[in-house]
Structure formats: C-alpha cells, structure tokens
Amino acid sequence: MKIEIAKHERMSESGSSLMRLIQNNELPTLDLLVRESIQNSSDAAKPHAENVRIDFNIRSFDPVNVNKHFEGIKDKLNSRSSKGESTLLEIRDTNTTGLVGPLTYDDAVDNNFGNLINLIYEISRPQQKEGAGGSWGLGKTVYFRLGVGLVVYYSRIKKENGEYESRLARCLIEDEKSEVAMLQSNYKGPKRGIAWWGRKLYRTETEDMHSPTIPVIDESEIKKILNDLNIEEFKGEETGTAIIIPYINEEKLIKNAQASAGKEYWWTSSMKDYLMVATQRWYAPRILNRSYPFNLPLIVSVNSDVIRPEKMLPVFKTIQDLYNMSSFSLKKSTPLLLSKDKVFEEGIKLRTVFEKDTTAGVIVFAKLSKEELLMLSPDNNSSPLQHTNADYQEDKDLNPPLICYLRKPGMIVNYDASGSWIKNINSTSKEDYIIGLFIPNSQNNLMQIYGGYTLEEYLRKSEKADHTSWSDWTIEDKNPQIVNKIKGHVGKKINVAFKDDSNKKLERKNASIGKALAEILLPPENFGSQSGRPEKKTKKKTASRDPRNKSNLTITGNPSFNKDNIAIPFAIVIGSKVKSSHVELKVISEGGDIEANKWEDDSGIGDEFPLMLVESKIDIIKTGNDLSLIEDGVIINSDNAVNHEDISIETIATSRFEVPYGMEIANPKEKIITIEGKLFFRSKQSHIQGSLTSKDMTGDKK
C-alpha cells in the first residue's frame, strides 16, 4: 500500500490539533471508545436487520509482518516495536451496511460523501441521519488515542448490483511536533502529522508521497494484510466494518480507568473486564433488549464473551428494567430485577413550550436496598455509584440519588449523583439507593417561536462534542429553558414519591445541619445589601441620590430553617427609573462578595455555585398606590414566573451550571414598586457565608 502524507494547507487541521479536539478529561479513554464505536455501528444498521452485533477483540500480532505494510514509516515502527508479539484491538460490527459510499470525492453527488469518506478522510462532518448518536463528527478521534496513532479500516459492503466488495485503508494521526513523530516531509513547509495508506488515485511519473490515495479493493491484497494482522475476513453474505487499532497500550489505558474510578476494582484489572462493564454502563437500555422501540437490540461481546442481560451488574439490570417498565417500552421483555410495585413513573409536563402535547418525557425511578442490589454476602457487588463511575460527594450517613438520561439512540448520556439533575432530590440512608432514568418524548414538537424542532433535535443540538450532557441553547433570540425545567420537575416528582419514607434519624441530621447553616450563613444583624458586614463609619459627606434611581433591599425578620431550606423574610422598594432589579445570593469572601456567575467561571472557582435558591414566596406587591395582598402567597421557582399587571418576576440561574441564585423583577412602567415575601435557599457547603443583595439596571425616562 502506498502512503499519502497530508500537506499543510490553509484552514487545515494538524495532527496535534485533532488529538485535542475532544480531549474529554472526565471520562476514561476506554469509555469514550465504547460510546463512540457502538454508536457508529448502531447508526450504520442494515435496513430490516433484527439486531446489530459488535465484537471487541483483543488480539496479538507479529510487528515484523505488519510494519512492512506501512510505507514511509516502516523503519520508525520497527525501532519502536518491542521484540515478540504486540497487541491490537479490533472493533467489529455485523448486520451493518459497512463503509458504503463513493471511493473518491469526484464520485460524490450533492456533497453526499457516504460512510467511507466521512469516517476515513473527513473530520467535523456532523451526522445527518435523524436519531443518530453523533452530531459533531469529532468522536472518532478517540481511535487515534489508544495506541501510536495508527488505525486500520476494513469493511465489506453490498453494492447496488448485488455484488460484494471489500475495502481497506489505513490512517495515522500523530503530534507532528513530537520528538518521536514518524512522518517525514519531502517538501518545504510545516508538517501536519496526518497520513493515509491505500492505492494511488492517479499515476505519476515520479513518486509523490502527497498525491491522493483511495482504499484498496483487491481481495487478495486485503487478505494478505488481514492475515498479518491476525484478523478474520468477512465471509458469505456478511457486511460490516472492522476498526483495527494496532500497538494499543493496555497498561496505560487501564491506569487511566483506575485514576478516573479513584481506586482499583475488579473491572479495572484488565481491558476485557473494563470493556464488559463500560458497555453495560452506557448501553444498558439496549443490550439484547427487544422492548427498546427506537433502535435495534445490541449484541456485544468481548473476546467472544457475549454480554447478556441476565448477567449484567444489578444497577444496569435496574436501568434496563426501568426502561422496559416505562410507557415508552414495547413491553416484550420480562423485568430482570425489579418488581412492578417498586417502580414509579411520572410525566414531566412543560407549558408554553410544545406545539400540542405538553409532555417533555417521563422520569422512571425506584428505591432499592443493598440487599436488592446484591451488595450483601455472598454476592458482594459494589454500589451503583461505583459501577456507574458517577462523580459524587462521599457521606458516611447518606447516599445521593443517581439519575441518568438518554435520547433515541439508546446511549446513556451521563449519570448525575452530584450535579443539577439531583440537587433538589433528598438523599437516602446508607441502606438504600434511588435510581432514576429520564426518557424524553423525542418526537414532540416545540412551538414555532422556538423553531418547531422536535425535542430530539433540540437535545441533540444541546450536546457537547463528547455527548456527555444536555444544556439549553438560544433559538434566535429565545431560550425555552427545556433542560433546566425538566431537571426541576424531576426533583419534585421523586421527592413527592418518597416523602413519607424519610426516617427520623435523617430528619434530625438535616435539622442540625440546617440550624448550623442558618447561624453561619445568615447573621441576624446588618445582613442584606451590605453582605452581613457592619458599615464602616466615615465623616465624608456623600451627595444625596435620587431614590427613583435605585432599589432598597431590607431583611424584615430573623432567618428561619424549614426542612432543608433557610427562609429569609425581605422587602424591596424599586425606584421608578429602575428598569429591572435582581435580588441575588452571593458568597462572602475576604476579597469581597463573589457573584454566582463569577464563582462558576474558570477564572473564579470553576465549580457549581454553592448557594441555591429553591423558591420565592411573594405576599405583597404594591405598584404606586395600588396594594395587592396575595392570599397564601404566590410561589416563584424555575418553572413558574409571576406576571402582575405590568410587573414580571422570575427566577434567574447561572449560565454555566444552571444553579438558581436569585430573581429578576422587571419594571417596564414608571411606577415605584414594593414587594414583600420570603426567599428559600440552601447551601451545599456548610462553611460558606452568604449575603443577599440587590442589583439594578437603570435608564432615563423619555
């Protein structure tokens, strides 16, 4: 096979930049590999196939036989290869179409490059297929991070004329600036660190290492290369793709997984065990599951050991059961672990978001004991938090809830045990675990003011390049806040379901914590716009300010503790020239008060704002001389705003982690406004001191 070394061109990516494109530092490399490879295979399923099969094979090969096929870097590979056998990873799918599409760009019609060109020769081209997993075209860069940067693509397709055709190409992406870079350049100019091997597209009189190549289709040549790699051919009527990564560093990959897990577990002791668990972790709803309506069942094996639902770890059996017992399931599978009376399902309904049906999805959840999760002798399974590798804060008395979520492809997007999905959900005792699964109503259409997207499209576009989270985004000049609202509803639904299960010991613990927080966070004197600090005495006279240009916030009583929340009675008078005013929680520090968004910024603390506004209760609204006494008060939270005459009051949240931290009062008319009520908030960190302040936006009258 001939080499094609990519030239450095305008606006072109280099090898080093490609390797950084999706440097996810939260998930281990093997998790990223499992997520990307299985999703790629699933997206390529053949029409009318009954399932998709993916086989992870860890094989040995003779470097001497393999290196000779890599023109231009053979000597470098030989010098880096250890004596004896080396290791490769093959990811092989069947019941898929294979790498179909044109062999050359000249043969592409209407910019439809097909699977082959998009996978091997392109980068950053998003998936166009509705319901596909990827939308950024960057995930495949993970293949080049497992070994020395070499990837072999072997595929077999069925052409329109009914004939079968094999295709094989190879690619290298490396850091072109590295001292051990293997690619050399025979032209003046910088190197890119990218190369392909195949057959030359054009014949030239002189050897040109930069002229384009296309995949080899000669069956005898392909067979020879596969034999040297110790890889089997596709046979009979098989179609599919094998991605072969030689020179993988098993020890490095396992250490990376162990570092992410925090300590060694049995599944972090070998690459085979880890791939078995990682597959369950991300694809539990689809493993041999005929009840999943949006995608085919997955048959996944590692070194010929098939992952079967009945053998899955308890937390992943639970997740499949939760899906199969939901209203979205096709009801063709028998629950593996859960009984019907253990499962709750609650619809999440959002007003003024969707065209017709208000249902955004359902949250399906259960509370399970250690015994039910097979954590006791003789099984001795680890906890669901450990099996999912969830990020959580250890507590000797409590277990945080565990919430996961997915969309149509059936891959779990992420597990949340410490973030915005679970922030409003009460923890359980150490003997129990709450496990929940959010399933979106994917085909529901947003209102036309939000572009008329389906919810699936909205969520897909909200994902980052590594597909590990959802976040809201602005459509033209409007943000429907769908994800933020869903999270708020999920917490309320679960808390209501388990409200009567709270034991007295847990209540006493929360009460003592709350009392301590009230004392630390809310000093009874001088708390308010002055951040709890006494005013400094000064003899300097200040010019009087027009009261119409500002707001005046006061704390009208002592803070009180109610369950997990701290309540602050307040009153705010807003001047007629104030267009809007924010009532905000801030953190007190020696260097000055820290605003919520500055706290979460990478230039600040870079973590979730620790003070969270739960809700606001408004008892009095006075506009000018008109006084409104609101019976029982009106509650404002992330799902509910107040519109009173020309005044609107709504919750505001941080832009990064979506933590509610205050409320905004809009005053479009020329009136003085007085509002009285209570703010309810909580803190995640007992040592934090907070303040309540007001901040105005003003403008001149016309």
Side-chain angles (χ1 to χ4, degrees):
M1 295 178 76
K2 295 295 184 180
I3 189 172
E4 171 195 349
I5 299 178
K7 291 182 179 180
H8 187 87
E9 298 175 326
R10 293 178 178 179
M11 297 186 73
S12 62
E13 293 281 359
S14 65
S16 57
S17 64
L18 286 177
M19 297 295 279
R20 291 194 301 268
L21 273 177
I22 191 169
Q23 286 287 356
N24 182 305
N25 295 319
E26 298 173 0
L27 294 181
T29 303
L30 288 175
D31 286 78
L32 292 173
L33 172 77
V34 166
R35 288 164 61 95
E36 174 68 15
S37 59
I38 293 180
Q39 198 55 64
N40 280 350
S41 298
S42 179
D43 290 343
K46 287 198 302 188
H48 312 300
E50 293 186 356
N51 54 60
V52 172
R53 174 150 190 156
I54 300 103
D55 298 292
F56 293 91
N57 298 310
I58 304 166
R59 301 183 185 279
S60 59
F61 68 92
D62 185 347
V64 175
N65 290 335
V66 170
N67 295 347
K68 66 185 179 184
H69 296 289
F70 287 94
E71 179 189 62
I73 64 168
K74 180 183 69 174
D75 293 339
K76 290 284 185 70
L77 280 174
N78 285 334
S79 65
R80 294 175 63 165
S81 303
S82 59
K83 294 181 180 179
E85 294 181 335
S86 292
T87 306
L88 63 79
L89 174 65
E90 177 196 22
I91 308 151
R92 185 185 191 93
D93 63 51
T94 48
N95 282 346
T96 56
T97 59
L99 297 181
V100 295
L103 289 171
T104 71
Y105 286 94
D106 293 340
D107 295 331
V109 178
D110 295 330
N111 281 337
N112 184 8
F113 294 162
N115 292 352
L116 182 134
I117 290 178
N118 280 334
L119 179 63
I120 302 175
Y121 302 102
E122 287 289 316
I123 194 71
S124 302
R125 291 188 66 86
Q127 261 275 14
Q128 299 301 317
K129 179 181 175 182
E130 183 179 358
S135 60
W136 293 75
L138 303 178
K140 62 192 176 189
T141 59
V142 70
Y143 298 139
F144 300 95
R145 294 162 54 183
L146 268 69
V148 297
L150 286 170
V151 178
V152 180
Y153 302 94
Y154 162 54
S155 187
R156 190 168 188 250
I157 68 168
K158 186 176 183 179
K159 301 195 294 184
E160 292 182 0
N161 62 9
E163 296 179 354
Y164 290 91
E165 179 179 270
S166 295
R167 300 171 164 192
L168 189 145
R170 287 170 286 180
C171 184
L172 169 67
I173 295 179
E174 66 176 359
D175 182 355
E176 73 282 0
K177 296 173 287 187
S178 170
E179 294 181 357
V180 295
M182 292 182 284
L183 291 175
Q184 300 298 319
S185 177
N186 63 353
Y187 73 99
K188 293 182 179 180
K191 296 186 294 184
R192 280 184 65 188
I194 302 171
W196 297 272
W197 285 263
R199 61 187 175 96
K200 288 292 182 179
L201 180 59
Y202 309 113
R203 291 185 178 181
T204 57
E205 294 183 1
T206 59
E207 189 71 16
D208 184 0
M209 298 178 71
H210 306 289
S211 62
T213 60
I214 60 175
V216 170
I217 60 174
D218 181 83
E219 296 286 350
S220 60
E221 185 175 357
I222 290 174
K223 183 176 181 179
K224 172 60 177 171
I225 295 170
L226 293 177
N227 284 339
D228 288 339
L229 283 165
N230 194 21
I231 299 295
E232 296 180 4
E233 299 175 78
F234 289 110
K235 298 175 181 178
E237 296 182 352
E238 283 185 332
T239 57
T241 300
I243 294 175
I244 306 152
I245 308 169
Y247 297 111
I248 61 169
N249 190 331
E250 286 187 86
E251 182 180 0
K252 181 179 178 181
L253 292 169
I254 286 300
K255 284 185 177 179
N256 173 252
Q258 290 172 350
S260 178
K263 65 177 183 178
E264 293 186 29
Y265 298 98
W266 63 262
W267 63 89
T268 63
S269 62
S270 74
M271 192 163 160
K272 177 189 174 182
D273 289 337
Y274 196 85
L275 290 173
M276 295 281 284
V277 172
T279 299
Q280 299 174 52
R281 180 179 295 154
W282 302 114
Y283 289 96
R286 284 186 55 198
I287 293 175
L288 281 169
N289 188 8
R290 296 181 299 115
S291 292
Y292 193 82
F294 302 116
N295 237 319
L296 297 176
L298 292 175
I299 302 175
V300 184
S301 75
V302 184
N303 282 3
S304 301
D305 190 356
V306 176
I307 302 172
R308 301 188 181 280
E310 61 272 16
K311 296 294 185 181
M312 290 197 301
L313 293 168
V315 63
F316 305 123
K317 288 182 185 179
T318 298
I319 290 170
Q320 187 170 119
D321 280 356
L322 289 174
Y323 193 96
N324 289 346
M325 299 174 79
S326 76
S327 55
F328 285 94
S329 169
L330 295 178
K331 310 292 185 184
K332 291 182 179 179
S333 296
T334 302
L336 301 166
L337 184 144
L338 294 179
S339 58
K340 188 175 182 179
D341 61 344
K342 280 284 183 180
V343 178
F344 295 79
E345 177 177 326
E346 296 287 347
I348 305 297
K349 296 183 180 295
L350 305 181
R351 295 176 296 161
T352 66
V353 172
F354 299 108
E355 195 70 36
K356 295 180 181 179
D357 186 359
T358 60
T359 305
V362 298
I363 178 68
V364 196
F365 55 97
K367 181 187 286 187
L368 299 175
S369 66
K370 284 184 175 181
E371 181 180 7
E372 290 169 314
L373 290 166
L374 307 181
M375 295 174 62
L376 305 180
S377 180
D379 302 287
N380 296 317
N381 277 292
S382 297
S383 79
L385 300 166
Q386 292 165 331
H387 282 153
T388 57
N389 203 18
D391 182 20
Y392 67 102
Q393 297 177 351
E394 186 71 46
D395 189 308
K396 65 178 182 179
D397 297 317
L398 304 174
N399 284 326
L402 179 67
I403 303 297
C404 57
Y405 46 103
L406 80 170
R407 46 184 188 83
K408 283 175 67 175
M411 179 184 77
I412 300 293
V413 176
N414 215 337
Y415 293 89
D416 192 344
S418 63
S420 54
W421 281 88
I422 63 99
K423 62 187 178 185
N424 294 323
I425 306 174
N426 295 328
S427 297
T428 63
S429 72
K430 272 295 184 182
E431 299 304 310
D432 297 306
Y433 292 86
I434 291 175
I435 301 172
L437 172 66
F438 176 74
I439 308 168
N441 187 11
S442 296
Q443 295 308 111
N444 205 359
N445 286 97
L446 277 63
M447 298 172 67
Q448 289 302 315
I449 60 171
Y450 299 126
Y453 293 101
T454 64
L455 180 56
E456 178 74 11
E457 291 173 311
Y458 178 85
L459 295 174
R460 186 182 180 208
K461 289 176 181 290
S462 82
E463 292 178 357
K464 300 176 182 179
D466 52 13
H467 309 291
T468 57
S469 64
W470 291 341
S471 59
D472 287 304
W473 53 284
T474 300
I475 302 170
E476 294 185 358
D477 61 343
K478 297 177 178 64
N479 192 323
Q481 291 287 315
I482 294 173
V483 176
N484 191 40
K485 292 174 181 177
I486 288 172
K487 293 174 182 177
H489 279 291
V490 164
K492 292 176 186 176
K493 300 290 186 183
I494 294 177
N495 276 344
V496 169
F498 297 128
K499 183 177 181 180
D500 296 332
D501 293 346
S502 301
N503 58 59
K504 293 181 180 179
K505 179 180 178 181
L506 186 59
E507 289 177 356
R508 287 197 301 270
K509 176 183 174 68
N510 286 339
S512 62
I513 292 174
K515 183 179 179 181
L517 284 176
E519 293 174 351
I520 295 172
L521 287 166
L522 304 174
E525 296 180 358
N526 299 316
F527 184 84
S529 60
Q530 297 304 315
S531 308
R533 301 189 189 93
E535 292 187 21
K536 293 182 179 180
K537 294 182 178 180
T538 176
K539 294 182 179 180
K540 184 177 179 179
K541 293 184 178 181
T542 57
S544 62
R545 294 180 60 188
D546 187 343
R548 297 176 301 168
N549 289 331
K550 65 178 182 177
S551 297
N552 184 25
L553 174 70
T554 57
I555 306 302
T556 57
N558 291 327
S560 60
F561 180 74
N562 181 18
K563 294 183 179 180
D564 294 331
N565 304 326
I566 299 166
I568 313 173
F570 76 95
I572 183 169
V573 179
I574 300 174
S576 59
K577 288 188 177 182
V578 178
K579 300 304 180 184
S580 69
S581 182
H582 287 190
V583 177
E584 302 180 356
L585 291 164
K586 296 182 180 180
V587 170
I588 298 174
S589 72
E590 293 182 0
D593 291 358
I594 305 176
E595 295 182 353
N597 282 308
K598 289 184 179 179
W599 178 284
E600 292 187 355
D601 192 79
D602 287 332
S603 62
I605 305 300
D607 199 358
E608 282 193 5
F609 189 62
L611 306 178
M612 182 184 71
L613 179 67
V614 178
E615 62 185 23
S616 309
K617 180 183 178 184
I618 305 301
D619 298 312
I620 295 175
I621 298 178
K622 182 179 179 182
T623 56
N625 295 320
D626 298 326
L627 176 65
S628 298
L629 297 176
I630 303 173
E631 187 176 355
D632 295 328
V634 62
I635 300 298
I636 303 170
N637 51 41
S638 57
D639 300 317
N640 182 44
V642 169
N643 291 295
H644 179 79
E645 295 182 354
D646 296 313
I647 303 167
S648 65
I649 310 172
E650 61 182 357
T651 299
I652 52 177
T654 58
S655 55
R656 183 171 185 181
F657 293 108
E658 301 174 350
V659 177
Y661 68 94
M663 63 180 184
E664 179 179 30
I665 306 166
N667 179 25
K669 299 295 183 179
E670 301 177 1
K671 294 182 179 180
I672 296 176
I673 300 172
T674 301
I675 295 175
E676 296 183 22
K678 285 184 178 181
L679 292 181
F680 297 84
F681 76 98
R682 68 181 61 161
S683 173
K684 292 185 177 182
Q685 301 177 30
S686 60
H687 64 282
I688 292 293
Q689 294 189 40
S691 68
L692 190 66
T693 65
S694 63
K695 181 171 68 175
D696 294 338
M697 297 176 64
T698 61
D700 294 333
K701 293 180 184 179
K702 293 185 179 178

